[in-house]
Amino acid sequence: MWARAVWLGLRASAGGRRGFPSKAAHQGSRRVTAELIEHLERLALVDFGSQEAVARLEKAIAFADRLRAVDTDGVEPMESVLEDRCLYLRSDNVVEGNCAEELLQNSHRVVEEYFVAPPGNISWPKLDEKEPFSHR
Amino acid sequence: MATPMLRWCCPGRRWIFAGIGGGSRHGRGVPTGSTSSGKKGQSSVAQQPLITAQKPRKGEREWAAVVGLEIHAQIASNSKLFSGSQVDFAAPPNSLVSFFDASLPGTLPVLNRRCVEAAVMTGLALDCHINRKSLFDRKHYFYADLPAGYQITQQRLPIAVNGSLAYSVCVGKRWSQMVTRTVGVKQIQLEQDSGKSLHDNLRSQTLIDLNRAEGQLRVDANISVHHPGEPLGVRTEVKNLNSARFLAKAIDYEIQRQISELENGGKILNETRSFDYKLGCTVPMRDKEGKQDYRFMPEPNLPPLLLYDSGSLPTGADPQQVIDIDQLRERLPELPRVTREKLVRQYGMLPEHSFALLNEVGLLEFFQNVIKETRAEPKKVTSWVLNTFLGFLKQQNLAVSESPVTPSALAELLDLLDRKAISSSAAKQVFEELWRSKGKTPAQMVAEKKLELMQDAEALEQLCRSMLEAHPQVVTDVKKGNPRAINKLIGLVRRATLGRADPTVIKEVLERQLSS
C-alpha cells in the first residue's frame, strides 16, 4: 500500500500539513464521501474547506490509481528508500538535554517548568454542525 | 520523546467458564522481575487461563473469555531510544528533553544500540524468534503529550515474535497445588513513550512534561468474550493497570461485565476503558471513543534494523555498528527457569519452593548463603527460609535486604538445631529473639536463656520414670490404647525439664519405658 502512497499537494491554511489517502480511498475510483472527508480532516487536521478541494483529492487518487497498471505480482514492496542504508547505532551515552529554559520559550503558555495544553483533546465539531470556516 | 520502551503482545487464550468447583478464586503467577537483570523490557504476557468463574444458569451456554495483554516496560538505559538525553525518573520537568524529544522541526531519530540489545535479549529470554530485519513505523494520533503527532513504533515487523513463557500458578481449593502453564508471546517491539500529562481540572488545563520515564511497567488488557465455537467477540481495552492484583481484578470485572451485558441483550462497544481502583470496576475513558485510525506508515527517517549472528556477521564491519545475536545470547544471565530446575535437582526441593525462592528479591541469595555456612540439611534450610524467615519478613513488610537476621546468624542457629543442641521450639524462640534484638549470636542467646537441650540421657530417663510413677492413671489410659494420653505425660516432663528436652525424645523414652 505504501508503495502506492502519493504526496498530495493539498494546501491547508495553516501548518502546511499533507493529507494521505486512507486505505478506503483506494478501493476503486469511487467518489470520496463526505464521511471520509470528515474522517480525514479529523485525523490529519487538514481543512478540505471547499468542494474544489475534494474534487482535487479525487483526481489525485485517480492519478495514483494508474499505478495499478503495473504488474507487481511476486515483487517485494519497497518499504523505504533507505533500505540499502545502514541504520546507525548510537552509543548509550547522555549527550543532550538540560535545555528546559530554551525549549519552554517556544510555548505560548508555561506553568513552572511545564508546557501548558488545553485539557484532553478538543472535540471536533460533528459534520452537521460544521460550517465553512477559516482554519485555526 | 523517545524514552525507550519495549512492547510485547500476546494473543488471547481461552478461558472456559463452566460449573467447575464452586467458583473459587485462584492465584495468578506473574513473571518475576528476575527475568531481566536490571533491564526492563516491555513485554506483553498473555493471560493465564482461569479455572472457573461461576456456574452457568440453567439453559445458558458456556462463555469463553479471551484476554491479551500489552505490557509496556522501560528499558534500563542511560539515554533515550532515539535521542541522547538522559533517562531518569525524578528529574525536574522538561529537563531531560532534547530538541528531538520536543519534536522541533529538523530533528531526526538516532537509534540507541543499548535498547536494541535489550530488546534482543528480552526476545531470547522469552524464546522468541528474532527477526533479522525489523522496521520502524509511525503511529499517528493527536494528544498534547505527543508533540510530533505520531509515535515511532514497530508495528509491521517487530524485532521479535512468537515466544512463550512458562509460569506457575496455584490452583485447587486452597491454592495448594502448583501447576505450570505456558503463555504465548506474540511479539516484542521497540517504541517511544509519550510525555507525561498532569491534568489540572481546576484551571482546565493540562501540564506537559516531556521527560518520559513515567511508569516503569504498565499493562493494558484486551478482553472479549464469546461462546466456544463461535467467532471472537468485540474486545475492549482496559488501560494503564499498574499492579498484578488490580490487573486481575480489572480483567475479572470486565469479563463479568461483558457476559452480563450480552446475556441481557446488550452489545459490547469496541472502546477503551480504565479501571476505577476504589469502585473495583472498569469505566469508559472519555477521550478515546470509537476506534482509532492510526494511519501507520513506515518511519521515513530510519532504515530497516538488521541483526546478525556469528554465521552472518559481515566481515570488516565496525563492531559498534553491528549486533550479533549469538553474542547477546551468551551474555544472557541464567534464566529463572534454569535456576529453578537446578534448585530442585540440587536440593531436592519442591518446584513451588523454587518459585517462592525466586519470587522475592534477594531471597535466593540469602538462601544460598545460609546453605554455604550451615551443616544442616538443605530441606531444613528451605523450610526455615521459606516459612519462618519469609514469614517474619512479610509480617513486617520488609525486604530481604532489610532483614535483621543475617544468613550467618540463621546458619549458626540451624547448626545448633542440627547438632541437637537445642529443640526446634527453642530454635524458633531464638530466631524471634534474633529478629528483635541485634548484637548477640544464637549461641549466646541459647546460653543466656538456658535453652540447651538436656544432654544427660540418664537424668531424662530418671525424670520420665518418676513421672510415670506419679501418674498411674495416665499410664493406664495409655495402656488402654488412648494414643493422646501420652501427650499429657510429655507435657509434664517438658515442664519439669524447663523446656530443655526435645518432645520427640521424651516421647521415645516414655514409650520405651511403658512397653517394658
Side-chain angles (χ1 to χ4, degrees):
Chain A
M1 178 203 139
W2 288 294
R4 304 173 185 179
V6 164
W7 297 91
L8 300 180
L10 288 175
R11 278 194 301 185
S13 39
R17 283 187 211 260
R18 302 187 191 93
F20 294 97
S22 77
K23 267 195 245 182
H26 277 304
Q27 283 147 22
S29 40
R30 57 187 177 95
R31 299 306 307 278
V32 172
T33 62
E35 219 171 37
L36 179 59
I37 294 293
E38 190 204 342
H39 184 62
L40 288 174
E41 286 185 325
R42 188 191 299 259
L43 285 182
L45 291 188
V46 174
D47 180 13
F48 286 80
S50 64
Q51 201 41 47
E52 195 185 58
V54 176
R56 206 177 309 143
L57 173 62
E58 288 174 340
K59 283 211 187 91
I61 294 172
F63 177 74
D65 272 346
R66 285 165 57 186
L67 284 171
R68 291 178 203 258
V70 180
D71 179 10
T72 55
D73 275 345
V75 178
E76 280 297 307
M78 173 196 262
E79 283 135 357
S80 163
V81 295
L82 301 172
E83 63 184 12
D84 288 334
R85 295 276 201 98
C86 266
L87 176 51
Y88 177 76
L89 296 173
R90 181 176 54 84
S91 301
D92 187 25
N93 300 317
V94 177
V95 295
E96 44 190 349
N98 246 314
C99 49
E101 208 179 296
E102 233 182 307
L103 292 173
L104 289 168
Q105 279 173 12
N106 279 333
S107 181
H108 179 57
R109 281 178 61 205
V110 158
V111 166
E112 289 170 19
E113 283 154 328
Y114 291 93
F115 295 99
V116 178
N121 267 346
I122 302 171
S123 67
W124 196 253
K126 293 209 200 315
L127 187 61
D128 46 13
E129 292 166 16
K130 256 167 58 167
E131 349 138 330
F133 60 90
S134 57
H135 202 55
R136 204 195 314 272
Chain B
M1 187 156 271
T3 301
M5 303 282 270
L6 284 182
R7 188 161 66 124
W8 307 350
C9 292
C10 290
R13 248 175 90 188
R14 284 145 202 259
W15 293 354
I16 303 291
F17 290 86
I20 308 167
S24 54
R25 273 283 307 223
H26 30 266
R28 281 180 173 76
V30 173
T32 69
S34 54
T35 6
S36 45
S37 49
K39 52 180 160 60
K40 298 144 215 175
Q42 208 163 349
S43 66
S44 196
V45 177
Q47 70 333 193
Q48 306 108 12
L50 277 181
I51 302 293
T52 175
Q54 56 187 193
K55 294 196 188 19
R57 294 186 280 265
K58 247 202 178 150
E60 277 172 8
R61 296 137 65 205
E62 267 182 10
W63 285 103
V66 180
V67 178
L69 300 182
E70 270 181 46
I71 301 181
H72 306 247
Q74 214 83 49
I75 297 175
S77 59
N78 302 323
S79 59
K80 296 195 168 117
L81 180 60
F82 289 123
S83 78
S85 50
Q86 193 182 356
V87 173
D88 187 12
F89 304 105
N94 291 308
S95 61
L96 305 176
V97 180
S98 68
F99 288 177
F100 170 79
D101 302 330
S103 301
L104 297 189
T107 56
L108 294 171
V110 185
L111 184 56
N112 181 338
R113 184 197 166 87
R114 162 86 183 109
C115 297
V116 180
E117 292 178 345
V120 171
M121 288 174 87
T122 307
L124 291 172
L126 288 172
D127 266 337
C128 293
H129 167 77
I130 308 293
N131 282 328
R132 296 302 193 267
K133 176 166 105 159
S134 61
L135 306 167
F136 290 98
D137 303 302
R138 289 185 182 180
K139 177 178 177 182
H140 300 80
Y141 62 95
F142 288 115
Y143 209 71
D145 62 18
L146 196 69
Y150 61 86
Q151 173 195 32
I152 301 181
T153 178
Q154 291 189 301
Q155 192 252 0
R156 285 170 296 154
L157 199 52
I159 193 166
V161 290
N162 287 339
S164 69
L165 176 70
Y167 62 96
S168 76
V169 82
C170 290
V171 298
K173 272 228 140 62
R174 281 162 54 194
W175 303 2
S176 50
Q177 197 197 344
M178 175 164 276
V179 293
T180 311
R181 294 258 158 82
T182 313
V183 94
V185 174
K186 177 163 175 286
Q187 65 188 63
I188 297 183
Q189 61 197 66
L190 281 164
E191 66 179 27
Q192 286 177 306
D193 199 3
S194 63
K196 186 159 50 175
S197 309
L198 298 174
H199 298 287
D200 180 358
N201 291 320
L202 203 58
R203 290 177 200 74
S204 209
Q205 62 190 14
T206 302
L207 305 180
I208 306 291
D209 173 10
L210 297 176
N211 280 350
R212 289 15 172 245
E214 184 185 319
Q216 288 158 269
L217 192 74
R218 290 194 318 267
V219 183
D220 303 331
N222 293 282
I223 302 153
S224 74
V225 298
H226 67 286
H227 294 294
E230 288 182 14
L232 298 183
V234 173
R235 68 178 166 90
T236 61
E237 185 183 2
V238 183
K239 278 188 103 61
N240 289 331
L241 299 155
N242 293 339
S243 79
R245 212 175 95 232
F246 287 129
L247 174 65
K249 278 192 167 178
I251 293 176
D252 276 346
Y253 174 85
E254 182 61 16
I255 291 173
Q256 290 310 319
R257 185 193 76 87
Q258 290 193 11
I259 291 177
S260 303
E261 184 73 31
L262 291 171
E263 281 181 349
N264 289 329
K267 273 200 158 100
I268 304 298
L269 296 171
N270 176 216
E271 60 179 350
T272 305
R273 300 173 76 87
S274 66
F275 185 62
D276 186 319
Y277 297 86
K278 295 199 199 110
L279 299 175
C281 64
T282 63
V283 293
M285 279 174 83
R286 265 175 310 119
D287 251 341
K288 308 207 178 191
E289 281 142 11
K291 196 157 182 222
Q292 287 273 55
D293 181 350
Y294 293 112
R295 295 180 299 147
F296 286 98
M297 62 172 260
E299 168 54 58
N301 295 320
L302 293 172
L305 172 62
L306 298 175
L307 302 172
Y308 302 93
D309 49 45
S310 45
S312 64
L313 268 178
T315 47
D318 178 1
Q320 176 53 21
Q321 288 305 313
V322 289
I323 297 215
D324 181 350
I325 296 173
D326 290 331
Q327 232 180 46
L328 289 175
R329 191 180 281 111
E330 279 165 41
R331 271 166 56 184
L332 274 180
E334 182 175 272
L335 294 180
R337 177 184 58 232
V338 175
T339 311
R340 286 195 296 263
E341 283 167 16
K342 279 192 184 169
L343 286 172
V344 169
R345 252 198 340 263
Q346 196 173 358
Y347 302 120
M349 66 173 73
L350 294 173
E352 43 253 55
H353 296 159
S354 68
F355 273 96
L357 278 177
L358 260 58
N359 265 0
E360 193 69 33
V361 175
L363 191 60
L364 178 62
E365 202 185 325
F366 187 93
F367 169 81
Q368 284 166 332
N369 286 337
V370 176
I371 290 263
K372 254 189 271 178
E373 295 189 37
T374 185
R375 294 170 48 222
E377 271 189 24
K379 291 213 167 145
K380 253 278 182 292
V381 181
T382 309
S383 167
W384 270 81
V385 169
L386 287 180
N387 297 326
T388 320
F389 178 69
L390 195 57
F392 270 78
L393 279 180
K394 287 303 175 190
Q395 211 178 54
Q396 297 174 24
N397 215 355
L398 293 171
V400 174
S401 55
E402 298 168 316
S403 153
V405 176
T406 63
S408 306
L410 182 55
E412 194 189 316
L413 181 60
L414 291 177
D415 274 345
L416 288 172
L417 190 58
D418 186 58
R419 279 203 326 257
K420 297 210 199 297
I422 53 174
S423 68
S424 60
S425 51
K428 293 241 165 65
Q429 258 185 277
V430 175
F431 187 84
E432 251 191 73
E433 198 50 44
L434 279 172
W435 196 275
R436 274 201 303 263
S437 54
K438 286 191 168 178
K440 300 210 191 98
T441 65
Q444 286 171 328
M445 287 183 183
V446 167
E448 269 178 32
K449 295 193 176 235
K450 298 203 197 294
L451 291 169
E452 312 93 343
L453 281 177
M454 275 180 81
Q455 301 299 340
D456 191 346
E458 186 52 47
L460 185 61
E461 296 273 339
Q462 281 276 39
L463 201 54
C464 288
R465 222 167 287 131
S466 51
M467 205 55 75
L468 288 175
E469 279 164 26
H471 301 269
Q473 187 52 42
V474 189
V475 175
T476 327
D477 283 339
V478 176
K479 295 216 167 140
K480 274 212 211 128
N482 180 353
R484 272 177 281 162
I486 200 168
N487 290 343
K488 177 151 194 226
L489 286 172
I490 298 174
L492 289 166
V493 175
R494 277 191 76 192
R495 246 180 285 136
T497 62
L498 302 167
R500 291 177 54 199
D502 192 337
T504 11
V505 176
I506 299 176
K507 188 167 187 212
E508 230 174 60
V509 174
L510 285 171
E511 282 176 345
R512 197 188 347 113
Q513 290 178 353
L514 281 168
S515 60
S516 61

